[in-house]
Amino acid sequence: MKNVCAGIWILLIICLVCGCSSSGQPVRDETAYQERPQDNENQIVVGFSQVGSESDWRNANSESFRSVFTEENGYYLVFEDAQQKQENQLKAVRDFILQEVDYIVLDPIVETGWDSVLVEAKDAGIPVIIVDRQVKVEDDDLYTCWVGSDFRREGRLAGKWLEKYLESQGRGKDRIRMVTLQGTPGSSPQIGRTKGFASVMKRHKNWEMLEYQSGDFTQAKGQEVMEHFLKTYDGIDVVVSENDNMTFGAVEAIEEAGLTCGPDGDMIVLSFDAVRAALQAMEAGKINADFECNPLLGSMVSDIIHRLERKETVDKIQYVDEQYFDSDMDLSAIMDGRAY
Ligand code: GYE
């Protein structure tokens, strides 16, 4: 017993010293430990509360902020990774307020639950820029503006692509059995992509959605959910996966079950994000189409901050440009010119 107790104490001390990310506590970038510069009054201090590091998209998005919000560009960035937990984000925003940062940038994991903390930021006079995912609040004046993707459009595009593809395969009137791997429940990309796809689905009585289940935007959960789908349903025709990392997991599950997917396979796979590894998987014939979501939001947010510094007005809602890719395109040429 003594040994067990001693072990627990040692573990606790290691956790306290190293920062314990597996317990779901926020992970603070080491820049946050640096003293806030006192001598450079022109430096703009930005607190960024990031969702986590659950996907390739997310990593590209974090990198886009880190590369733009640098000292050379006149910024001091306090970067907080919330490990996919809203409570960590609420704490991060409150810490930013205490630190009296100049701007707060928030990528909200889910849409609801932000009213009080945004009121606190507003009372402290700190502008809040929402990025990527959206917030649903009583009063839209609680944040300055939002910049990100039109997730509903992405879902609609996926539905319309499938419509055309099935038609071209002579399967337009066939019964089509589908499953959806959904993103984090209540997050804007989950809500938008599900609704956008459903708006096309309702035009097709022959499309049957067997089940929706969340894989929380991660590869490991995507694989688990797909294993469950394959055990439960025979003859799945279409897999809709609301991000690329869940798709990678789903493809593994499909192949482990002795099945195939992609243009020449047993199942059609539709994915979202269009990160490099997914375009490579498409080139390898495993994904049919991928609906882009652009993670490079850093410089747009920096432009917004510069405008605000000059006391100019900014658009409340700003969408980024996006397209889609399918296996008929010249993917290597497309990948050459891409940053993610
Ligand atoms: O699609 C997914 C990530 O919020 C748009 O979050 C983002 C989504 C992206 O985990 O890969």
Side-chain angles (χ1 to χ4, degrees):
M1 187 63 184
K2 243 186 183 170
N3 280 347
V4 175
C5 282
I8 292 173
W9 273 110
I10 290 169
L11 265 178
L12 261 174
I13 291 165
I14 293 174
C15 273
L16 283 172
V17 173
C18 305
C20 207
S21 63
S22 58
S23 66
Q25 291 301 303
V27 173
R28 179 171 277 198
D29 191 286
E30 72 271 11
T31 53
Y33 290 109
Q34 292 163 17
E35 278 294 305
R36 187 173 153 182
Q38 303 291 339
D39 50 345
N40 189 349
E41 280 180 9
N42 294 328
Q43 202 162 31
I44 301 171
V45 181
V46 176
F48 177 31
S49 171
Q50 175 61 294
V51 170
S53 51
E54 73 284 1
S55 66
D56 290 20
W57 187 99
R58 184 68 51 205
N59 296 338
N61 178 251
S62 294
E63 181 45 35
S64 147
F65 279 89
R66 284 203 174 97
S67 63
V68 170
F69 287 86
T70 60
E71 274 185 45
E72 301 81 75
N73 289 342
Y75 290 108
Y76 181 79
L77 177 68
V78 187
F79 184 104
E80 291 277 0
D81 174 341
Q83 300 278 297
Q84 296 245 73
K85 287 203 160 54
Q86 184 174 31
E87 68 208 66
N88 290 343
Q89 291 203 289
L90 294 170
K91 184 177 178 310
V93 173
R94 293 197 165 106
D95 282 351
F96 296 151
I97 297 171
L98 283 176
Q99 290 169 51
E100 298 180 356
V101 300
D102 298 310
Y103 293 89
I104 292 173
V105 179
L106 169 65
D107 189 330
I109 177 156
V110 289
E111 293 192 344
T112 52
W114 302 102
D115 290 77
S116 350
V117 80
L118 292 182
V119 167
E120 290 165 37
K122 193 168 188 201
D123 289 348
I126 304 174
V128 178
I129 299 167
I130 309 286
V131 295
D132 167 29
R133 303 183 182 181
Q134 288 170 321
V135 290
K136 221 189 222 160
V137 280
E138 293 265 303
D139 174 6
D140 282 342
D141 284 345
L142 289 178
Y143 60 93
T144 306
C145 61
W146 167 85
V147 45
S149 306
D150 188 340
F151 301 118
R152 231 177 233 251
R153 175 177 173 271
E154 292 172 3
R156 239 182 0 252
L157 271 180
K160 286 185 180 164
W161 184 93
L162 183 65
E163 207 166 50
K164 272 205 184 134
Y165 182 75
L166 290 172
E167 201 62 53
S168 74
Q169 303 284 303
R171 298 173 70 188
K173 300 267 177 299
D174 291 2
R175 178 175 178 222
I176 303 293
R177 289 158 61 85
M178 313 189 209
V179 288
T180 296
L181 291 108
Q182 287 182 304
T184 304
S187 68
S188 310
Q190 179 275 309
I191 297 170
R193 290 169 186 165
T194 301
K195 285 193 174 159
F197 189 83
S199 70
V200 180
M201 197 165 62
K202 69 172 189 250
R203 299 205 290 250
H204 300 277
K205 294 234 157 51
N206 53 325
W207 293 12
E208 185 189 350
M209 188 57 76
L210 300 166
E211 194 176 333
Y212 291 98
Q213 203 176 113
S214 170
D216 215 12
F217 285 129
T218 70
Q219 176 159 349
K221 290 200 189 144
Q223 183 163 353
E224 265 172 41
V225 172
M226 193 66 219
E227 280 163 7
H228 154 76
F229 286 155
L230 291 167
K231 272 189 207 125
T232 316
Y233 308 102
D234 274 336
I236 297 170
D237 299 297
V238 179
V239 179
V240 181
S241 167
E242 290 180 354
N243 88 336
D244 284 339
N245 288 77
M246 291 192 297
T247 306
F248 304 148
V251 169
E252 288 227 15
I254 292 168
E255 292 181 342
E256 269 169 25
L259 297 164
T260 54
C261 53
D264 300 319
D266 305 315
M267 286 168 226
I268 296 167
V269 175
L270 306 181
S271 190
F272 294 86
D273 283 355
V275 296
R276 181 173 302 273
L279 296 183
Q280 284 162 347
M282 190 184 289
E283 220 176 17
K286 297 174 197 281
I287 297 176
N288 293 70
D290 207 322
F291 302 86
E292 185 182 37
C293 184
N294 187 345
L296 307 180
L297 306 178
S299 50
M300 287 179 79
V301 174
S302 175
D303 286 349
I304 290 170
I305 289 179
H306 284 140
R307 291 184 71 98
L308 293 171
E309 287 288 297
R310 294 194 298 267
K311 309 271 177 265
E312 292 171 15
T313 51
V314 295
D315 291 338
K316 187 83 184 181
I317 305 269
Q318 299 188 33
Y319 288 110
V320 287
D321 290 338
E322 296 172 332
Q323 48 183 322
Y324 74 86
F325 305 102
D326 66 26
S327 50
D328 286 343
M329 298 177 181
D330 179 358
L331 296 167
S332 10
I334 292 164
M335 276 187 270
D336 278 350
R338 274 168 88 77
Y340 54 96

